[in-house]
């Protein structure tokens, strides 16, 4: 809400500055409403800069470009150059908004991660055969036995001790196809149990889970400004010192030469206004925003200015395969019968059984089949293993040969 309000202030300031400039051409800038409209821009955009500069110097002992801008604003007001004061404040606020825009992209990503964090957990009081008690996820201890029902998020990193299922890990790994998990397999917090109920043993607490570590890494990355931004801040401090020195020297020389204090003061303020780093402040966030925006048009989402800057010095690119180099949607590309059955007949039989399945690979088989479906009976799904069904009294199974048919 504060960012939206600041944007509204900048828009209003732009309008009143344009109005002030128009009125100044007619010489009536201060006669329309009894005051120069540029005052509105000075209050909306300039006042926060002046207050920020004072707080920075007094409390944080930090000299930034805001100090120079504040001095130029005050000097312009003393000389009654209201449009100049409003214009400088207006441009500086635009730069600030652009810089915040680039960092907000990273913050939105962090917010999405935080929303993934499960808030509750189903604790099995008394072990595997105990009663279910709903507790806060952050109360889970190492070794606790937790029940995770179909459709629920896994509250902490754990190991499956009972039940088989498929886990949607797309939020953590980017893998679009759910992964089959069986007793002994590890599961990560924030991932979703898609099938039957499972029991897991907590191997990490909520605060040390995979999801929480990812959130902490994202927050740490967001806190780091791009090196070019940090350099800009250092240069801005030197710019303040140089500009103040130049303004004082120029004002003193001209004032003494003409024996006119106000003439010297006018030249000193002019130097400060010219030195105001409007282009300097706008350059970095504008370049970063333009780079991120242009990349997004080509399907590239860049998290922050820090990430964008690192690309320039990168020699190796590592890609997340699924959804980046691939479509993330499984498809049948070849059918290889291992007996005298035809390819069309084999895929028709498999599709007939998979028609009742919700497995991602089932849809791929269905899409590939162009021969219709057989009527099937006694369809059975063995979670985490295979499907079984009958066609005209003959039994068929669909699954992975190396693993799913060991007990068949």
């Amino acid at each position: 809400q504060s960012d939206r309000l600041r944007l509204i202030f900048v828009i209003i300031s732009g309008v009143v500055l344009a109005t002030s400039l128009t009125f100044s051409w007619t010489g009536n800038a201060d006669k329309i409403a009894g005051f120069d409209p540029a005052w509105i821009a000075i209050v909306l955009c300039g006042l926060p800069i002046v207050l920020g500069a004072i707080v920075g110097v007094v409390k944080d002992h930090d000299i930034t470009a805001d100090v120079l801008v504040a001095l130029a604003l005050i000097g312009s007001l003393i000389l009654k150059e209201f449009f100049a004061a409003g214009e400088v404040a207006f441009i500086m606020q635009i730069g600030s908004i652009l810089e915040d825009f680039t960092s907000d992209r990273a913050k939105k990503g962090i917010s999405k991660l935080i929303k993934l964090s499960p808030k509750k957990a189903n604790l099995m009081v008394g072990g595997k055969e105990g009663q279910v008690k709903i507790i806060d996820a952050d109360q889970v201890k190492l070794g606790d036995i937790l029940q995770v029902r179909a459709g629920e998020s896994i509250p902490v990193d754990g190991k499956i001790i009972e039940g088989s299922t498929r886990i949607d890990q797309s939020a953590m790994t980017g893998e679009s196809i759910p992964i089959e998990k069986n007793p002994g397999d590890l599961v990560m917090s924030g991932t979703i149990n898609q099938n039957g109920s499972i029991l897991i043993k907590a191997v990490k607490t909520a605060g040390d889970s995979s999801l929480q570590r990812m959130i902490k890494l994202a927050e740490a990355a967001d806190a780091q400004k791009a090196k070019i931004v940090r350099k800009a801040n250092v240069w801005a401090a030197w710019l303040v010192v140089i500009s103040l020195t130049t303004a004082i020297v120029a004002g003193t020389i001209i004032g003494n030469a003409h024996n006119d204090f106000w003439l010297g003061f006018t030249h000193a303020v002019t130097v400060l206004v010219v030195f105001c780093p409007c282009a300097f402040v706008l350059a970095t966030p504008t370049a970063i925003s333009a780079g991120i925006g242009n990349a997004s048009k080509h399907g590239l989402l860049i998290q922050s200015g820090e990430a964008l800057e690192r690309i320039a010095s990168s020699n190796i690119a590592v890609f997340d395969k699924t959804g980046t180099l691939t479509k993330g949607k499984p498809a049948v590309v070849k059918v290889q019968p291992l007996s005298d059955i035809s390819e069309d007949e084999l895929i028709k039989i498999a599709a007939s059984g998979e028609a009742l399945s919700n497995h991602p690979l089932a849809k791929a088989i269905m899409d590939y089949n162009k021969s219709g479906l057989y009527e099937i009976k006694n369809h059975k799904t063995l979670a985490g293993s295979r499907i079984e069904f009958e066609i005209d009294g003959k039994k068929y199974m669909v699954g992975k040969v190396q693993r799913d048919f060991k007990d068949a």
Side-chain angles (χ1 to χ4, degrees):
Q1 291 181 350
S2 61
D3 289 342
R4 188 180 294 112
L5 184 62
R6 188 167 51 150
L7 179 60
I8 293 173
F9 284 171
V10 169
I11 294 174
I12 293 174
S13 298
V15 173
V16 297
L17 282 174
T19 305
S20 175
L21 181 62
T22 302
F23 290 163
S24 67
W25 290 339
T26 64
N28 297 318
D30 58 349
K31 296 179 181 178
I32 303 300
F35 68 97
D36 192 324
W39 266 105
I40 298 176
I42 294 170
V43 173
L44 295 181
C45 293
L47 189 58
I49 293 176
V50 174
L51 294 177
I54 294 173
V55 171
V57 172
V58 175
K59 184 178 178 181
D60 301 329
H61 306 292
D62 187 19
I63 298 177
T64 65
D66 284 350
V67 175
L68 177 57
V69 177
L71 292 175
L73 280 173
I74 295 171
S76 298
L77 292 177
I78 293 175
L79 294 175
K80 297 184 179 180
E81 294 290 342
F82 304 128
F83 178 80
E87 181 186 24
V88 169
F90 172 68
I91 294 175
M92 294 295 291
Q93 286 292 358
I94 290 178
S96 177
I97 288 176
L98 286 174
E99 187 173 348
D100 289 345
F101 169 76
T102 60
S103 64
D104 283 347
R105 299 176 69 92
K107 292 177 182 177
K108 288 179 180 178
I110 295 172
S111 297
K112 290 180 180 179
L113 286 175
I114 293 174
K115 289 180 180 178
L116 290 175
S117 302
K119 302 296 186 293
K120 300 292 182 179
N122 301 319
L123 175 66
M124 301 297 293
V125 180
K128 293 170 57 175
E129 306 300 328
Q131 298 294 318
V132 176
K133 179 183 179 182
I134 299 177
I135 62 173
D136 293 333
D138 56 11
Q139 293 179 340
V140 175
K141 301 175 183 177
L142 292 177
D144 280 351
I145 306 299
L146 307 173
Q147 182 188 60
V148 185
R149 304 184 183 96
E152 292 182 341
S153 295
I154 295 174
V156 296
D157 292 0
K159 179 185 290 187
I160 297 179
I161 60 174
E162 185 177 296
S164 297
T165 184
R166 291 198 300 270
I167 301 294
D168 180 358
Q169 301 182 157
S170 58
M172 297 294 291
T173 66
E175 180 62 55
S176 61
I177 301 177
I179 306 299
E180 293 182 0
K181 297 286 185 176
N182 298 292
D185 291 339
L186 295 174
V187 290
M188 293 181 289
S189 63
T191 57
I192 299 174
N193 176 26
Q194 286 201 329
N195 290 100
S197 176
I198 58 173
L199 294 182
I200 66 171
K201 184 177 182 180
V203 297
K204 290 183 180 177
T205 60
D208 193 37
S209 65
S210 301
L211 180 59
Q212 288 301 321
R213 290 201 305 274
M214 185 183 294
I215 292 173
K216 290 174 184 176
L217 285 173
E219 289 174 338
D222 178 54
Q224 295 178 351
K225 288 188 175 181
K227 291 181 181 178
I228 192 169
V229 175
R230 294 195 294 269
K231 288 178 181 177
N233 291 338
V234 173
W235 293 335
W238 279 106
L239 186 64
V240 171
V241 175
I242 294 172
S243 61
L244 282 175
T245 303
T246 306
I248 293 172
V249 172
T252 301
I253 293 175
I254 294 175
N256 289 335
H258 294 272
N259 197 27
D260 187 339
F261 169 79
W262 287 108
L263 181 62
F265 182 75
T266 300
H267 280 77
V269 172
T270 301
V271 170
L272 290 177
V273 172
V274 171
F275 261 102
C276 270
C278 295
F280 189 71
V281 170
L282 280 173
T284 301
T286 301
I288 291 176
S289 297
I292 291 176
N294 189 45
S296 66
K297 292 179 182 178
H298 297 279
L300 301 174
L301 300 181
I302 300 175
Q303 183 190 38
S304 63
E306 172 85 4
L308 180 63
E309 187 192 9
R310 287 181 178 178
I311 295 175
S313 57
S314 298
N315 297 317
I316 299 174
V318 180
F319 293 93
D320 174 25
K321 177 181 68 67
T322 305
T324 305
L325 302 180
T326 64
K327 294 181 178 180
K329 180 182 178 182
V332 177
V333 295
K334 184 179 180 181
V335 177
Q336 181 64 57
L338 299 179
S339 63
D340 56 358
I341 189 172
S342 69
E343 178 181 321
D344 289 342
E345 179 67 10
L346 176 61
I347 201 71
K348 182 177 181 180
I349 293 173
S352 300
E354 295 286 14
L356 300 178
S357 174
N358 62 355
H359 195 284
L361 296 182
K363 188 176 187 309
I365 295 173
M366 293 292 296
D367 291 341
Y368 190 83
N369 175 49
K370 307 298 180 186
S371 305
L373 299 173
Y374 286 116
E375 181 180 348
I376 65 171
K377 295 181 179 179
N378 300 324
H379 185 279
K380 206 167 37 170
T381 298
L382 303 181
S385 178
R386 62 182 183 270
I387 60 172
E388 298 179 355
F389 56 95
E390 293 181 7
I391 299 177
D392 294 332
K394 190 174 182 179
K395 184 178 180 180
Y396 294 92
M397 294 180 289
V398 178
K400 291 183 179 179
V401 176
Q402 297 91 334
R403 185 195 65 192
D404 295 346
F405 299 151
K406 289 182 179 180
D407 61 342

